[in-house]
């Protein structure tokens, strides 16, 4: 059965701060807007609704509810069907969305780097585990080592602590000197963030925080038993239940790639109006620059204002948006990864977790194509999202090409979605004759 | 108090607060393993945000669902491959 197509002025993919701000803004000007979100509800990585939601997030979520935009929760954008349509799938259904303007706001994910033992159950992304805990994953009483890099280690540790985990250590790979420089830069670029970091510090006052310290390996078989870390040239071993480990964020670029948007230096290229290289397609939030929530909101609003033709209202925001991006660049410099953490894997360490391809097996290959053809590296269910990001850092391989569909998709979705678009195209032709 | 919903995990019923993710319900039911890797290793949830697909399970008969991205609904049937 071919389905009907939902006709929209604006389709937004991703209901984080960027997507929500864009949806609220677009709806203000009477644009028929749909917001597609993979998670059950809107919020993205920071505003996801939990009983203890913060006031700021509640304000935006209330605005979203009131604005009239159609929010499609639990809905994944899987691929474009033709140049102006997007196929989306839910747990038991699918739709085709036709758009005049498309805003990509798919956010970012954690960079997860291979080390011996990282496939043992009990190793998680750091912010990812916090996310799991918010949705009920039991961390109470568990002894957790939080490690990796970036400012997110602090809120992640705090969330885990709030849900009852015992935080044994927070290990930040960046050296203290760089972090002091970053704090100074923040005084000008983002003073509010400094205050926030200080507050996190206060609430984590009795937790050990080591700079210039990184995890090296994990021991355990059916579950994690011990984590080894390096600090000042010495190995420290900590018995614990969980390693929560993220090395900063990398943008989710798969959809932008599939749509042919130009990508440079690991982010979607946009001009000051958030326009990508493809006419009608805009991008906002973390996939244009890893710079946090304020940048996400501003860029989302700017994209929607430009679509509505409201350049007057958008222009005063450009300064703040570019300052937020400068904060993002300072962040990237301060938390740049040291070579040691990119070389943790030994010959036996699995790199591609979907296909269980080890570092040793990848050694003869110098690019993705061969690694894919010969070893199926990056060809499993995650489509190279984890090993692709890791190998782009470890071996400087450019990302593997994105292929539709973006995630495992039901055959019925693909067939019926394509049929619906063809039928609509035929009908349009018939009308012309 | 949040409302409770009942889900069936590998044939065993468990009641969890509504809003709990399927991944969390699995852990609450003592199941840390969601599937076996291509070489037979036991694996559980990993990235926590629906990217790595390590937490995939069968939900209401549909295989390959990301359990961290789905909220428990009354009567849901979940089957792991652990
Ligand atoms: C795990 C994690 C935890 C974080 N925690 C914090 C924190 O505590 N504090 C903080 O300041 N910053 C945090 N961040 C940083 C955060 O990314 C930004 O601060 C902010 O949320 C960025 O907003 P955004 O709208 O660009 O992206 P996001 O908030 O990441 O929103 C993007 C949304 O797009 C959806 N999406 C992606 N692809 C698709 C698709 N194909 N179809 C449908 N939907 C899709 C995702 O599900 C997601 O909800 C976190 C990041 C991550 C990855």
């Amino acid at each position: 059965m071919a389905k009907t197509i939902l006709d929209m002025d604006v389709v937004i993919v991703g209901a984080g701060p960027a997507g929500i701000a864009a949806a609220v803004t677009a709806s203000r000007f009477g644009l028929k807007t749909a917001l597609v979100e993979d998670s059950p509800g809107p919020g993205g990585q920071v505003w996801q609704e939990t009983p203890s939601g913060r006031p700021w997030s509640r304000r935006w979520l209330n605005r979203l509810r009131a604005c009239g935009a159609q929010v499609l929760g639990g809905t994944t954008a899987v691929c474009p069907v033709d140049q102006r349509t997007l196929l989306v799938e839910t747990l038991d259904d699918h739709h085709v969305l036709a758009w005049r303007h498309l805003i990509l706001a798919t956010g970012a994910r954690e960079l997860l780097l291979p080390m011996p033992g990282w496939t043992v159950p009990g190793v998680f992304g750091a912010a990812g585990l916090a996310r799991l805990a918010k949705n009920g994953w039991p961390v109470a009483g568990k002894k957790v080592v939080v490690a990796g890099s970036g400012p997110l280690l602090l809120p992640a540790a705090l969330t885990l602590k709030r849900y009852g985990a015992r935080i044994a250590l927070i290990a930040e790979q960046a050296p203290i000197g760089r972090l002091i420089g970053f704090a100074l830069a923040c005084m000008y670029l983002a003073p509010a963030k400094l205050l926030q970091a200080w507050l996190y510090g206060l609430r984590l006052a009795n937790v050990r925080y080591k700079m210039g310290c990184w995890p090296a390996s994990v021991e355990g078989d059916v579950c994690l038993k011990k984590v080894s870390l390096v600090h000042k040239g010495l190995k420290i071993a900590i018995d614990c239940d969980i390693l929560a480990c993220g090395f900063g964020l990398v943008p989710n670029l798969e959809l932008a790639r599939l749509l042919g948007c130009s990508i440079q230096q690991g982010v979607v290229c946009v001009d000051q109006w958030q326009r990508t290289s493809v006419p009608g397609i805009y991008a906002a939030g973390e996939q244009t620059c890893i710079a946090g929530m304020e940048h996400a909101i501003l860029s989302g609003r700017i994209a929607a204002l430009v679509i509505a033709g409201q350049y007057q209202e958008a222009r005063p925001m450009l300064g703040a948006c570019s300052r937020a991006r400068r904060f993002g660049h300072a962040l990237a410099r301060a938390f740049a990864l040291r070579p040691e953490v990119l070389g943790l894997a030994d010959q036996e360490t699995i790199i591609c977790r979907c296909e269980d391809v080890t570092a040793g097996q990848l050694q003869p290959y110098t690019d993705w194509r061969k690694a894919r053809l010969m070893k199926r590296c990056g060809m499993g269910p995650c489509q190279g999202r984890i090993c692709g990001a890791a190998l782009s850092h470890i071996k400087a391989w450019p990302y593997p090409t994105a292929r539709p569909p973006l995630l495992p998709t039901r055959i019925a979705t693909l067939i019926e979605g394509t049929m619906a678009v063809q039928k609509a195209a035929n009908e349009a032709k018939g009308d012309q004759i | 108090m949040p409302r409770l919903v009942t889900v069936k995990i590998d044939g065993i019923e468990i009641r969890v607060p509504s809003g709990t993710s399927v991944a969390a319900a699995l852990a609450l039911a003592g199941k840390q393993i969601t599937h076996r890797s291509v070489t037979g290793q036991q694996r559980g949830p990993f990235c926590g945000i629906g990217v790595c697909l390590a937490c995939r399970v069968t939900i209401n008969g549909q295989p390959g669902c990301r359990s961290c991205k789905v909220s428990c609904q009354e009567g849901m049937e979940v089957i792991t491959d652990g």
Side-chain angles (χ1 to χ4, degrees):
Chain A
M1 183 196 70
K3 289 212 163 199
T4 50
I5 298 176
L6 298 174
D7 258 311
M8 292 287 158
D9 293 322
V10 184
V11 169
I12 303 166
V13 183
I20 292 174
V24 170
T25 309
S27 302
R28 246 176 63 209
F29 298 97
L31 294 166
K32 201 171 156 202
T33 303
L35 180 56
V36 181
E37 171 55 51
D38 197 23
S39 298
Q45 304 303 358
V46 274
W47 293 345
Q48 187 217 16
E49 268 181 295
T50 53
S52 58
R54 279 167 286 173
W56 211 30
S57 60
R58 235 177 288 141
R59 180 151 29 115
W60 274 102
L61 289 168
N62 285 339
R63 281 184 197 156
L64 178 66
R65 260 189 292 273
C67 79
Q70 197 170 340
V71 181
L72 305 172
T75 307
T76 312
V78 291
C79 60
V81 187
D82 65 8
Q83 278 188 347
R84 281 286 189 261
T85 54
L86 193 64
L87 185 58
V88 302
E89 185 181 79
T90 66
L91 201 53
D92 48 17
D93 202 3
H94 55 268
H95 307 282
V96 174
L97 304 175
W99 48 271
R100 289 203 297 123
H101 307 275
L102 180 65
I103 304 180
L104 306 176
T106 52
R109 57 176 175 260
E110 277 180 288
L111 175 62
L112 304 163
L113 292 176
M115 67 183 86
W118 75 315
T119 49
V120 171
V123 180
F124 296 88
L129 181 64
R131 213 27 230 264
L132 282 171
K134 285 185 188 172
N135 289 326
W137 209 90
V139 293
K142 296 266 161 64
K143 189 171 170 193
V144 182
V145 169
V146 177
S149 195
L152 281 182
L153 296 184
L154 296 179
L158 192 60
T159 302
L160 295 173
K161 188 167 169 245
R162 202 181 293 138
Y163 284 94
R166 292 175 293 144
I167 310 294
L169 171 70
I170 305 175
E172 165 62 59
Q173 60 86 38
I176 184 164
R178 277 228 233 98
L179 298 186
I180 292 173
F182 178 63
L184 292 174
C186 281
M187 280 184 182
Y188 165 67
L189 289 171
K193 296 255 187 219
L194 260 193
L195 180 68
Q196 203 183 20
W198 182 67
L199 289 175
Y200 283 139
L202 281 185
R203 278 181 266 165
L204 290 166
N206 51 1
V207 174
R208 276 194 299 163
Y209 181 81
K210 279 195 203 301
M211 287 164 271
C213 177
W214 61 91
S217 65
V218 174
E219 280 172 46
D221 33 50
V222 276
C223 63
L224 191 153
K225 293 206 170 73
K226 189 187 276 181
V227 175
S228 298
L229 301 104
V230 179
H231 186 232
K232 294 190 178 150
L234 296 175
K235 265 228 157 101
I236 359 174
I238 300 181
D239 292 327
C240 60
D241 306 306
I242 290 177
L243 171 64
C245 184
F247 289 91
L249 299 181
V250 287
N252 293 323
L253 299 174
E254 290 72 20
L255 185 55
R257 271 218 178 83
L258 215 51
L259 291 159
C261 301
S262 152
I263 286 160
Q264 268 169 27
Q265 287 167 348
V267 293
V268 181
C269 296
V270 288
D271 63 9
Q272 61 173 346
W273 306 114
Q274 305 300 135
R275 290 183 292 216
T276 69
S277 61
V278 179
I281 304 185
Y282 299 70
E286 301 277 82
Q287 49 171 343
T288 61
C289 182
I290 302 288
M293 187 176 73
E294 290 75 12
H295 169 259
I297 299 173
L298 281 165
S299 56
R301 287 174 70 191
I302 292 170
L305 287 169
V306 169
I307 289 172
Q310 306 291 323
Y311 288 88
Q312 291 288 52
E313 197 179 325
R315 193 160 281 121
M317 293 177 195
L318 298 180
C321 196
S322 112
R323 183 140 29 99
R325 272 199 298 273
R326 289 219 298 284
F327 165 75
H329 300 149
L331 195 73
R333 280 194 300 275
F335 294 96
L337 296 178
R338 60 175 72 229
E340 292 95 321
V341 303
L342 298 175
L344 294 173
D346 61 25
Q347 293 289 307
E348 275 79 53
T349 306
I350 286 172
I351 304 289
C352 168
R353 300 169 63 103
C354 292
E355 296 291 334
D356 285 356
V357 185
T358 63
Q361 288 171 319
L362 283 181
Q363 206 153 35
Y365 307 108
T366 49
D367 63 43
W368 265 111
R369 218 180 74 82
K370 292 245 174 58
R372 261 181 162 166
L373 280 174
M374 307 307 290
K375 294 289 168 212
R376 290 192 52 79
C377 184
M379 291 184 68
C382 95
Q383 291 283 297
R385 282 173 172 76
I386 303 296
C387 67
L391 286 171
S392 82
H393 283 79
I394 297 172
K395 292 191 183 241
W397 284 1
Y399 271 78
T401 43
R403 304 211 182 131
L406 288 174
L407 283 166
T409 304
R410 286 187 296 274
I411 298 281
T413 299
L414 296 170
I415 295 175
E416 290 172 17
T418 315
M419 273 166 55
V421 172
Q422 273 168 1
K423 186 165 162 253
N426 289 341
E427 278 169 10
K429 251 188 234 152
D431 285 350
Q432 275 169 14
I433 300 165
Chain B
M1 264 309 276
R3 202 166 52 88
L4 293 177
V5 295
T6 307
V7 291
K8 208 185 241 182
I9 292 168
D10 291 335
I12 296 166
E13 284 190 353
I14 171 173
R15 280 161 75 73
V16 296
S18 81
T20 304
S21 68
V22 172
L26 290 170
L28 290 167
K31 301 228 168 220
Q32 311 270 353
I33 310 302
T34 43
H35 76 280
R36 282 178 186 269
S37 76
V38 292
T39 59
Q41 299 179 10
Q42 295 188 316
R43 299 279 170 78
F46 177 51
C47 80
I49 57 168
V51 172
C52 73
L53 278 94
C55 68
R56 62 185 186 269
V57 293
T58 301
I59 299 181
N60 292 342
Q62 193 186 308
C65 299
R66 293 167 293 162
S67 61
C68 72
K69 279 280 190 177
V70 179
S71 297
C72 289
Q73 306 289 339
E74 184 61 40
M76 217 172 223
E77 291 202 17
V78 183
I79 296 171
T80 67
D81 189 17

